[in-house]
């Protein structure tokens, strides 16, 4: 057999393997659909971390046994699982309570409000939405509410909370604002019943909530809102309790500093009138990814991010410190102080400790996926 015919035969064999892969994926999808029905009736969550970890551990051992790259197999399975979660998210979710709850979302016509309304409805709860024009009928809606969820912009949160003093004693009062201490204290003043502060660490553009993080701050009568926390878990969220003051301090770094950096980076590109077509054509994958994150900010509503910057509890202090360090670094560059820059680099690397290797590996994984998407 000639080399050419051998190549053609091998290609036919590969095509046959691809066909079998598609058939196996279809079979797996059918099993997932059947599992979803059973999970809904038994109240099992969308995402079970232990189950996922067990699968990955098992297939990595199997891959090594068969001489296949374990990372390849895990990457394939992660993509298959993501599709599985997306499919499940289009179906009914289990309900965390024995009986469906009556939920009122104040600001439910907004993006995040609509997102939560959709998820609560898929779990069988009754959802009402209150917007500005609905306040005349609000008391009637609140009279039977089991949960009043405040989902308005940051600047309107305090004003809206102050209008919620007539909630039933059993009703949970909660908010999903990105700052927590001030709204939580206001809710505790206004409402005598259960209170909890929530911060979803995700936006409304997700197709599912598997592996997403929901932070919460205890307010009052924690036992009464356990069903709500359980509901987030059933949707696939990691649920983690945090102290409200500590939350706001960390968010000053996680949100305020990051958004400010991104804002300035976009501003500099605009001020220099940089040709974005030329810039992307000559960018390394890592800078292309950074550029995507800059563009992502400016593709969203400016009011949200400006309010985050203005309301961050320690945001201005952190940004002033950042400004001082920035000017110091500029002076070293201006003076061509190579030794000082290297010494500072080493000190920062020591601060990161073992995290720097973890972050390096994580970014490598992201970059590899990003390269394939470009």
């Amino acid at each position: 057999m000639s080399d050419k015919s051998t190549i053609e035969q091998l290609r036919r064999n590969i095509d046959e393997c691809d066909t079998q892969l598609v058939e196996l994926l279809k079979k797996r999808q059918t099993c997932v659909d059947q599992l979803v029905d059973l999970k809904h009736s038994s109240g099992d969550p969308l995402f079970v971390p232990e189950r996922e970890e067990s699968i990955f551990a098992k297939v990595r051992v199997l891959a090594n046994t068969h001489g296949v790259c374990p990372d390849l197999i895990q990457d394939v399975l992660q993509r298959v699982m993501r599709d599985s979660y997306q499919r499940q998210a289009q179906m009914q979710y289990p309900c965390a309570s024995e009986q469906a709850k009556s939920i009122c979302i104040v600001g439910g016509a907004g993006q995040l409000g609509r997102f939560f309304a959709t998820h609560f409805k898929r779990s069988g709860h009754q959802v009402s939405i209150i917007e500005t024009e609905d306040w005349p009928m609000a008391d009637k809606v609140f009279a039977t509410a089991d949960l009043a969820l405040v989902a308005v912009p940051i600047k309107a949160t305090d004003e809206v909370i102050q209008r919620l003093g007539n909630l039933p004693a059993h009703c949970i009062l909660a908010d999903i604002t990105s700052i927590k201490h001030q709204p939580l204290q206001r809710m505790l003043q206004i409402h005598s019943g259960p209170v909890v502060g929530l911060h979803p660490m995700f936006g409304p553009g997700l197709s599912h909530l598997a592996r997403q993080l929901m932070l919460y701050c205890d307010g009052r009568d924690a036992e009464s809102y356990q069903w709500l926390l359980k509901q987030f878990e059933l949707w696939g969220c990691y649920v983690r309790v945090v102290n409200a003051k500590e939350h706001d301090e960390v968010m000053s770094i996680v949100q305020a500093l990051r958004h400010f950096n991104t804002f300035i980076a976009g501003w500099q590109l605009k001020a220099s009138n940089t040709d974005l077509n030329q810039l992307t054509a000559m960018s390394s994958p890592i800078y292309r990814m950074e550029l995507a994150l800059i563009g992502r900010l400016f593709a969203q509503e400016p009011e949200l991010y400006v309010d985050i910057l203005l309301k961050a509890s320690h945001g201005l202090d952190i940004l002033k410190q950042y400004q001082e360090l920035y000017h110091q670094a500029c002076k070293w560059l201006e003076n061509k102080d190579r030794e000082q820059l290297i010494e500072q680099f080493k000190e920062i690397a020591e601060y990161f400790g073992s995290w720097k290797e973890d972050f390096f590996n994580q970014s490598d994984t992201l970059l590899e996926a990003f390269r394939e998407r470009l």
Side-chain angles (χ1 to χ4, degrees):
M1 184 180 291
S2 67
D3 288 347
K4 185 174 182 180
S5 59
T6 301
I7 289 172
E8 289 303 316
Q9 181 59 52
L10 289 172
R11 284 174 172 168
R12 285 193 292 271
N13 292 345
I14 290 172
D15 290 343
E16 183 179 348
C17 289
D18 291 342
T19 299
Q20 292 173 358
L21 276 174
V22 173
E23 292 171 349
L24 281 172
L25 287 173
K26 175 58 180 176
K27 181 179 179 180
R28 191 182 194 281
Q29 282 184 352
T30 301
C31 292
V32 168
D33 291 344
Q34 294 171 352
L35 179 62
V36 169
D37 291 336
L38 293 174
K39 286 169 68 175
H40 182 269
S41 60
S42 63
D44 286 348
L46 170 73
F47 169 58
V48 182
E50 298 80 9
R51 165 68 177 162
E52 193 172 275
E53 290 169 9
S54 172
I55 291 174
F56 290 148
K58 188 188 304 180
V59 297
R60 291 184 72 89
V61 171
L62 192 61
N64 278 318
T65 301
H66 289 276
V68 180
C69 176
D71 289 341
L72 169 64
I73 299 302
Q74 183 164 333
D75 285 347
V76 171
L77 262 181
Q78 283 177 325
R79 181 62 187 89
V80 170
M81 286 180 175
R82 184 162 75 248
D83 179 75
S84 173
Y85 293 140
Q86 289 171 344
R87 288 170 59 81
Q88 292 182 59
Q90 303 307 312
M91 306 174 189
Q92 285 293 102
Y93 288 117
C95 181
S97 54
E98 292 183 4
Q99 293 184 333
K101 301 292 186 179
S102 175
I103 297 171
C104 179
I105 302 179
V106 183
Q111 287 186 324
L112 203 51
R114 291 200 307 270
F115 181 83
F116 278 101
T118 297
H119 279 68
F120 280 123
K121 288 177 181 177
R122 284 185 180 165
S123 292
H125 301 293
Q126 297 177 332
V127 179
S128 301
I129 289 173
I130 296 291
E131 290 294 326
T132 303
E133 62 274 16
D134 302 317
W135 278 112
M137 56 174 283
D139 284 346
K140 182 179 180 180
V141 175
F142 290 140
T144 58
D146 297 304
L147 167 66
L149 183 64
V150 179
V152 298
I154 294 176
K155 65 178 182 178
T157 299
D158 190 68
E159 178 186 352
V160 167
I161 290 173
Q162 291 190 65
R163 302 181 70 172
L164 301 177
N166 293 327
L167 296 176
H170 76 280
C171 181
I172 301 166
L173 176 56
D175 77 306
I176 53 173
T177 317
S178 60
I179 56 172
K180 289 272 68 79
H181 180 65
Q182 183 179 343
L184 187 63
Q185 294 307 308
R186 182 66 71 189
M187 289 190 294
L188 289 168
Q189 292 171 2
I190 293 298
H191 182 48
S192 61
V195 170
V196 60
L198 305 170
H199 186 187
M201 300 300 291
F202 50 84
L206 298 175
S207 60
H208 63 83
L209 290 177
R211 305 189 191 93
Q212 298 301 321
L213 177 61
M214 173 66 79
L215 300 177
Y216 76 95
C217 301
D218 281 318
R220 182 190 297 122
D221 194 5
E223 186 62 30
S224 295
Y225 54 76
Q226 289 308 304
W227 70 265
L228 179 60
L229 303 181
K230 178 64 176 177
Q231 189 65 73
F232 297 141
E233 291 177 344
L234 289 178
W235 293 342
C237 292
Y238 290 111
V239 178
R240 183 173 300 163
V241 63
V242 293
N243 175 273
K245 285 186 177 180
E246 292 176 357
H247 168 278
D248 290 354
E249 290 173 0
V250 172
M251 285 304 130
S252 295
I253 299 173
V254 172
Q255 291 189 321
L257 181 58
R258 178 171 60 86
H259 294 327
F260 185 78
N261 269 335
T262 307
F263 176 77
I264 296 298
W267 190 0
Q268 191 278 328
L269 290 173
K270 185 261 181 188
S272 61
N273 199 29
T274 302
D275 185 329
L276 294 179
N277 289 321
Q278 187 179 54
L279 184 63
T280 55
M282 292 189 283
S283 293
S284 64
I286 193 165
Y287 183 72
R288 182 68 181 272
M289 188 161 64
E290 290 177 2
L291 191 61
L293 293 174
I294 294 171
R296 178 183 177 87
L297 178 74
F298 295 100
Q300 301 180 70
E301 293 297 326
E303 292 82 5
L304 171 62
Y305 291 93
V306 169
D307 286 342
I308 287 174
L309 290 173
L310 292 174
K311 290 288 187 178
S313 60
H314 300 283
L316 189 57
D317 291 338
I318 289 173
L319 293 178
K320 285 181 177 179
Q321 180 189 48
Y322 179 83
Q323 183 182 39
E324 292 174 4
L325 298 176
Y326 184 91
H327 284 310
Q328 180 61 67
C330 284
K331 288 180 182 178
W332 291 336
L333 288 171
E334 187 178 6
N335 296 331
K336 300 188 183 302
D337 195 339
R338 183 172 182 272
E339 294 304 317
Q340 185 61 63
L341 286 165
I342 291 175
E343 181 60 30
Q344 193 61 56
F345 191 102
K346 290 179 178 178
E347 289 182 14
I348 298 169
E350 184 178 354
Y351 157 77
F352 274 93
S354 62
W355 278 103
K356 61 179 178 287
E357 282 79 21
D358 289 341
F359 290 150
F360 186 90
N361 293 331
Q362 290 172 23
S363 62
D364 256 2
T365 301
L366 289 172
L367 281 171
E368 187 61 35
F370 191 74
R371 289 188 195 100
E372 294 173 357
R373 294 284 181 170
L374 289 177

